[in-house]
Amino acid sequence: MIADTNPLNFFTTPWFWSSFTGWTIAQVIKMTTGFIKTGQIDFRYLLSTGGMPSAHSAMVCGLCTALGLTEGFGAPITMLAAGFAAITMFDAASVRRAAGHQAKVLNLMIQELFKQHKLRHTHLKELLGHTRKEVFAGMAVGIAVAVAVVYCWPAAEL
């Protein structure tokens, strides 16, 4: 079997489009929710971390599901993607979430210190991780998008 050496073909697969579209839809949902809350469009949501739903979960679950649907759920590449997805979602719901809590505590400490002394400070980003609900919602978005992309993908190209 000769390897495909054209790097542009990366963008012509259902695997890429399932993961990219899952991530994009999750980020647009965050931006839409922010617009509903504030009445202003904030494009920073498109590259933000944290929030509902988890774009990381949507992306890795979109990839894993698309691979499973096209290559088989028992294929080694699908197993690898499932492991990648599990690690990513666990990290989003635990390690990154804990870092967000630490940032919140540090911001409060700096705020209290700032009130008593003149001190320049920069707020740390607090919205880093996800709740389990946000991770699950991202997973659902990714799976749904992958099913739609693979279903609509021309069978001759799979």
Side-chain angles (χ1 to χ4, degrees), residues 138-153:
M139 180 182 72
V141 167
I143 291 170
V145 166
V147 169
V149 168
V150 171
Y151 178 76
C152 294
W153 205 262

Side-chain angles (χ1 to χ4, degrees), residues 122-135:
T122 303
H123 277 283
L124 301 171
K125 184 171 173 137
E126 295 177 11
L127 190 57
L128 295 172
H130 296 281
T131 64
R132 287 187 178 112
K133 187 177 175 182
E134 292 167 344
V135 169

Side-chain angles (χ1 to χ4, degrees), residues 23 32 43 45 50 63 74 85 113 124 145:
W23 175 84
T32 304
F43 289 103
Y45 280 107
L63 174 63
L113 184 62
L124 301 171
V145 166

Side-chain angles (χ1 to χ4, degrees), residues 28-110:
V28 168
I29 289 170
K30 289 182 206 179
M31 190 171 77
T32 304
T33 303
F35 173 73
I36 291 168
K37 287 180 182 177
T38 66
Q40 295 181 342
I41 295 175
D42 187 352
F43 289 103
R44 290 179 291 183
Y45 280 107
L46 295 178
L47 298 174
S48 69
T49 59
M52 172 69 95
S54 166
H56 292 88
S57 298
M59 184 181 81
V60 295
C61 287
L63 174 63
C64 182
T65 303
L67 283 167
L69 292 171
T70 58
E71 305 301 304
F73 285 96
I77 192 70
T78 305
M79 304 273 182
L80 179 65
F84 173 62
I87 290 168
T88 301
M89 291 186 295
F90 176 79
D91 180 70
S94 60
V95 178
R96 287 179 44 234
R97 184 137 178 94
H101 286 299
Q102 289 175 347
K104 191 178 230 174
V105 169
L106 287 171
N107 284 337
L108 286 171
M109 290 170 58
I110 290 171

